[in-house]
Amino acid sequence: MVRSTTESHRVALAKQRLRTKSQRIDYLAPVKQYPLASIGAAFAAGMFWQRAGKSRLPAGLLSVGLQLLKRI
């Protein structure tokens, strides 16, 4: 079976489009837009996690949160 060259060009073009769009996604946009609500949600999630009996969160979780706030 012979492959046509137009299909390979379409695949390459689709890959390029995917790469350019994926580079523009900012996963921290909601945190940057609503920093106080994000902190509150993280705190509430931590309280729930602890109440659920799975309190094996790392002790340095607060320091990680502070580092994220410094970047905003």
Side-chain angles (χ1 to χ4, degrees):
M1 214 158 118
V2 177
R3 275 182 119 170
S4 66
T5 57
T6 57
E7 285 185 30
S8 63
H9 290 295
R10 288 181 192 168
V11 171
L13 182 61
K15 285 181 181 179
Q16 184 62 31
R17 285 182 183 171
L18 180 64
R19 286 185 187 121
T20 57
K21 288 191 182 216
S22 66
Q23 290 174 353
R24 288 188 259 165
I25 296 174
D26 185 17
Y27 294 105
L28 292 177
V31 176
K32 291 177 184 177
Q33 190 173 5
Y34 305 106
L36 293 177
S38 299
I39 292 170
F43 181 75
M47 295 297 287
F48 175 75
W49 189 269
Q50 189 176 16
R51 292 272 184 188
K54 298 178 182 178
S55 60
R56 295 186 177 155
L57 293 175
L61 194 59
L62 178 62
S63 63
V64 171
L66 291 175
Q67 291 296 326
L68 284 174
L69 284 175
K70 285 180 184 178
R71 292 184 182 215
I72 293 177

